[in-house]
Amino acid sequence: MEKPRLLLVEDDRALADLLIWHFDREGYDVARTADGEEALLLAEERVPDLVILDWMIEGVSGIEVCRRLRRKGSTAAVPIIMLTARGEEADRIRGLDTGADDYVTKPFSPRELMARVGAVLRRIRPAIAGEKLVYGDIELDSTAHRVRRAGKNVQLGPTEYRLLHHLMENPGRVFSRDRLLDAVWGHDPEIDARTVDVHVRRLRKALNGSDLPDVIRTVRSAGYSLDAET
């Protein structure tokens, strides 16, 4: 299968080199530029499968690059993940309103960005992204319906599997119990928020065994997230 093509638009050379190393290792074909005008040319010459776009770059700004990509017929449907140090809500909304599919605030871990890229590709172009989710030492194979951690099979019930799948598609994001109910159980009036706690405990027990670190973070009064940095 052809490698997924990424266009990385980032003027921090050290960060760009680090990201390229990680994406190369995972089988992506990465083109990189630090310049907004060149990014538009590269996207036109060889349409990428996804654009990773820094907001603050040389020449044309990232937000303007995003706007122009959305206006061109050849790149209008290309998914875009914006990278920026601008963490204010108004900036995030502006980036998403301009046409970005996701928004990652600096500083971030390459592992989180790779998971976000995989999630966007699966959502928009599932044939490109494949059927495997990876977070840290956890692998979820959607085709085989199999989960492994640290190389060992993990036995999960169907609800715990769906819960893990949702968390692995959105690593680092905190989901309230109500959001998890909607995503995993659907709109079932007979299911209440306490059900989430029960299945999170079961998932933790299955994933962690007796000696592995807990990767599910409980955020008091907020909910749960998949976070290896706990």
Side-chain angles (χ1 to χ4, degrees), residues 177-178 181 185 188-199:
R177 291 166 177 82
D178 287 340
L181 279 172
W185 284 265
D188 188 338
E190 296 185 3
I191 302 295
D192 62 30
R194 289 173 296 179
T195 301
V196 176
D197 299 330
V198 171
H199 287 281

Side-chain angles (χ1 to χ4, degrees), residues 166-180:
H166 184 67
L167 292 173
M168 289 185 72
E169 284 191 313
N170 302 274
R173 292 190 176 183
V174 178
F175 290 97
S176 68
R177 291 166 177 82
D178 287 340
R179 289 285 299 278
L180 288 173

Side-chain angles (χ1 to χ4, degrees), residues 3 21 31-32 39 44 60 71 76-77 82-83 89-90 106 117 127 131 137 142 151 154 156 158 187 201 203-204:
K3 292 182 178 180
W21 183 85
R32 182 253 175 179
E44 185 174 356
V60 180
R71 288 175 181 169
M82 295 205 72
L83 307 179
E89 181 181 14
K106 296 179 180 180
V117 166
E131 300 295 336
D137 60 355
S142 298
V154 177
L156 297 179
H187 301 280
R201 284 198 298 270
L203 178 58
R204 275 184 166 137

Side-chain angles (χ1 to χ4, degrees), residues 7 9 35-41 43 51 53-55 57-72 75 80 82 98:
L7 174 57
V9 190
D35 181 86
E37 289 284 3
E38 187 179 11
L40 292 167
L41 291 173
V51 177
L53 178 61
D54 189 11
W55 185 309
I57 53 175
E58 301 169 13
V60 180
S61 71
I63 202 78
E64 180 60 23
V65 171
C66 182
R67 185 177 291 111
R68 293 189 193 180
L69 289 173
R70 286 289 173 256
R71 288 175 181 169
K72 293 180 71 69
T75 56
I80 299 171
M82 295 205 72
T98 302

Side-chain angles (χ1 to χ4, degrees), residues 28-219:
Y28 290 86
D29 179 4
V30 186
R32 182 253 175 179
T33 180
D35 181 86
E37 289 284 3
E38 187 179 11
L40 292 167
L41 291 173
L42 289 173
E44 185 174 356
E45 290 171 358
R46 189 181 185 214
V47 178
D49 295 312
L50 183 141
V51 177
I52 301 172
L53 178 61
D54 189 11
W55 185 309
M56 302 297 293
I57 53 175
E58 301 169 13
V60 180
S61 71
I63 202 78
E64 180 60 23
V65 171
C66 182
R67 185 177 291 111
R68 293 189 193 180
L69 289 173
R70 286 289 173 256
R71 288 175 181 169
K72 293 180 71 69
S74 60
T75 56
V78 173
I80 299 171
I81 296 179
M82 295 205 72
L83 307 179
T84 181
R86 296 171 177 261
E88 292 79 8
E89 181 181 14
D91 291 320
R92 294 198 300 272
I93 292 172
R94 183 183 175 197
L96 295 171
D97 284 347
T98 302
D101 296 277
D102 203 353
Y103 192 103
V104 178
T105 304
K106 296 179 180 180
F108 58 86
S109 72
R111 183 169 53 190
E112 177 187 358
L113 178 61
M114 291 177 67
R116 296 280 188 94
V117 166
V120 170
L121 287 176
R122 280 188 301 275
R123 189 165 63 245
I124 298 176
R125 300 183 179 186
I128 292 173
E131 300 295 336
K132 182 177 287 188
L133 293 175
V134 179
Y135 184 77
D137 60 355
I138 304 171
E139 297 180 6
L140 186 151
D141 187 331
S142 298
T143 302
H145 212 76
R146 178 180 295 125
V147 175
R148 295 170 64 85
R149 183 169 189 196
K152 297 181 179 179
N153 289 331
V154 177
Q155 300 300 320
L156 297 179
T159 302
E160 287 74 37
Y161 178 88
R162 292 196 305 272
L163 178 60
L164 177 62
H165 191 283
H166 184 67
L167 292 173
M168 289 185 72
E169 284 191 313
N170 302 274
R173 292 190 176 183
V174 178
F175 290 97
S176 68
R177 291 166 177 82
D178 287 340
R179 289 285 299 278
L180 288 173
L181 279 172
D182 285 342
V184 178
W185 284 265
H187 301 280
D188 188 338
E190 296 185 3
I191 302 295
D192 62 30
R194 289 173 296 179
T195 301
V196 176
D197 299 330
V198 171
H199 287 281
V200 167
R201 284 198 298 270
R202 291 179 182 174
L203 178 58
R204 275 184 166 137
K205 183 177 180 181
L207 282 177
N208 301 338
S210 58
D211 57 353
L212 293 172
D214 188 4
V215 294
I216 300 177
R217 179 164 61 104
T218 301
V219 182

